[in-house]
Amino acid sequence: MNDEEKRRWLRRYRDAMCAEKVLQEELDELERKARRCSAGAGSAARVGKQLQRARSELKCQINACGAIRREVVEMINRCEDPVDHEILRRRYILGERWLQIALKLPMDERNVRRRAARAVRKIWPE
């Protein structure tokens, strides 16, 4: 696995969280639609089925997101250096940008990127 594939694997949690947010927004919209829907039994039944399907999809996505998070956290926990661990946690779990991480640690953004790249290579089983 090359370095880009490793980073993509670590980003899966953030991607899953984005998918979860989209599904939640869709469910919220369907619930608003259901509250407004009083135009007929056929329409209400159709919205009810859509709501049921949306809730089921969201539940599946939440479960998948939790499983992915556990995998990513397990990989990040292999990092022995506490600063590198914090960089990876902030980047791949909290979804912070490189500059945000650099300001919080505090260190140079370029150094944060370098340390993250080195840490990713170190934690990955060969």
Side-chain angles (χ1 to χ4, degrees):
M1 189 179 280
N2 66 36
D3 288 351
E4 178 54 36
E5 290 169 329
K6 292 173 185 177
R7 287 188 299 272
R8 194 175 315 124
W9 189 92
L10 288 167
R11 284 192 302 261
R12 293 177 316 135
Y13 174 63
R14 288 183 6 212
D15 295 342
M17 288 295 294
C18 288
E20 183 179 320
K21 182 179 177 186
V22 167
L23 289 173
Q24 182 63 59
E25 289 170 356
E26 289 174 5
L27 178 60
D28 293 345
E29 181 58 35
L30 281 171
E31 287 174 344
R32 283 190 290 277
K33 186 177 180 181
R35 285 191 295 273
R36 292 188 311 259
C37 186
S38 60
S43 180
R46 187 174 58 253
V47 172
K49 286 180 184 179
Q50 290 173 335
L51 270 171
Q52 186 177 13
R53 187 173 40 249
R55 286 182 182 125
S56 177
E57 271 185 68
L58 179 59
K59 184 178 179 182
C60 288
Q61 182 62 35
I62 289 169
N63 291 336
C65 192
I68 291 168
R69 185 182 195 285
R70 286 187 293 278
E71 290 174 2
V72 172
V73 166
E74 183 180 319
M75 185 64 77
I76 290 172
N77 283 343
R78 293 179 180 181
C79 189
E80 294 176 3
D81 183 282
V83 175
D84 291 347
H85 181 275
E86 186 65 10
I87 290 169
L88 296 181
R89 186 183 75 80
R90 287 183 175 281
R91 180 67 176 177
Y92 296 109
I93 299 299
L94 302 179
E96 292 180 0
R97 298 189 181 280
W98 296 117
L99 182 58
Q100 290 174 301
I101 297 168
L103 292 171
K104 287 180 182 171
L105 287 183
M107 60 176 44
D108 180 70
E109 180 181 352
R110 188 173 43 158
N111 192 29
V112 169
R113 286 175 180 261
R114 249 188 266 130
R115 287 185 72 140
R118 187 183 67 231
V120 167
R121 284 190 296 274
K122 279 180 161 180
I123 65 174
W124 224 268
E126 295 301 323

